[in-house]
């Protein structure tokens, strides 16, 4: 069965680029740094208990609004070493995550039915 990482390699080769891996498992140190930075941002920005304005719409739009509101609320707490920015344009990616100087495409999604075994929701794509 074809995989997304295979598609990205094929796309790079088709474009005449030297193919390099764009999807990889999280490095344990980077994952720990990301977890600590996001946790600190949630605490320092008063996210817990905060009421999102204009939280109406369809299930899909509510998920998008919740993800965007979360990012907008916590983003001011980050530094240049760890930064989350909204990506320009529509579609993938929603955001660009910078961790220790490396840039990554990132999709934030909100759901009321999280499946911890669903690895599709935890893909980190390197931009550099």
């Amino acid at each position: 069965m074809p995989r997304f990482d295979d598609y990205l390699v094929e796309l790079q080769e088709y474009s005449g680029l030297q193919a390099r891996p764009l999807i990889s498992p999280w490095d344990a140190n980077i994952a720990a740094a990301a977890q600590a930075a996001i946790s600190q941002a949630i605490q320092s920005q008063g996210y817990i208990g905060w009421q999102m304005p204009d939280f109406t719409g369809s299930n899909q739009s509510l998920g998008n609004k919740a993800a965007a509101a979360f990012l907008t609320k916590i983003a001011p707490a980050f530094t240049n070493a760890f930064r989350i920015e909204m990506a320009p344009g529509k579609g993938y990616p929603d955001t660009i995550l910078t961790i220790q100087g490396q840039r990554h495409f990132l999709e934030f999604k909100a759901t009321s039915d999280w499946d911890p075994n669903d690895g599709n929701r935890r893909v980190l794509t390197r931009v550099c």
Side-chain angles (χ1 to χ4, degrees):
M1 171 182 268
R3 295 169 32 119
F4 187 53
D5 54 347
D6 295 330
Y7 166 74
L8 292 174
V9 167
E10 185 177 326
L11 182 62
Q12 291 174 82
E13 291 170 346
Y14 177 81
S15 299
L17 300 171
Q18 175 72 31
R20 61 183 177 138
L22 297 176
I23 297 177
S24 63
W26 281 80
D27 173 274
N29 292 328
I30 291 176
Q35 182 178 4
I38 292 171
S39 179
Q40 185 277 330
I42 288 169
Q43 294 300 318
S44 71
Q45 297 303 304
Y47 182 76
I48 305 297
W50 173 69
Q51 295 288 315
M52 281 185 280
D54 189 33
F55 196 60
T56 60
S58 68
N59 190 42
Q60 175 76 30
S61 69
L62 288 176
N64 291 336
K65 282 183 179 183
F70 172 74
L71 291 172
T72 300
K73 182 75 173 165
I74 68 168
F78 298 124
T79 66
N80 285 337
F82 187 95
R83 185 173 63 249
I84 298 174
E85 307 166 272
M86 297 303 288
K90 295 184 178 187
Y92 178 82
D94 291 338
T95 55
I96 298 174
L97 172 67
T98 302
I99 302 173
Q100 300 170 355
Q102 290 186 337
R103 297 175 68 214
H104 307 273
F105 291 144
L106 183 68
E107 286 281 316
F108 263 92
K109 298 296 179 194
T111 180
S112 60
D113 188 22
W114 176 256
D115 178 0
N117 297 316
D118 181 4
N120 292 325
R121 293 194 176 266
R122 293 178 298 275
V123 174
L124 182 67
T125 305
R126 182 170 296 174
V127 180
C128 298

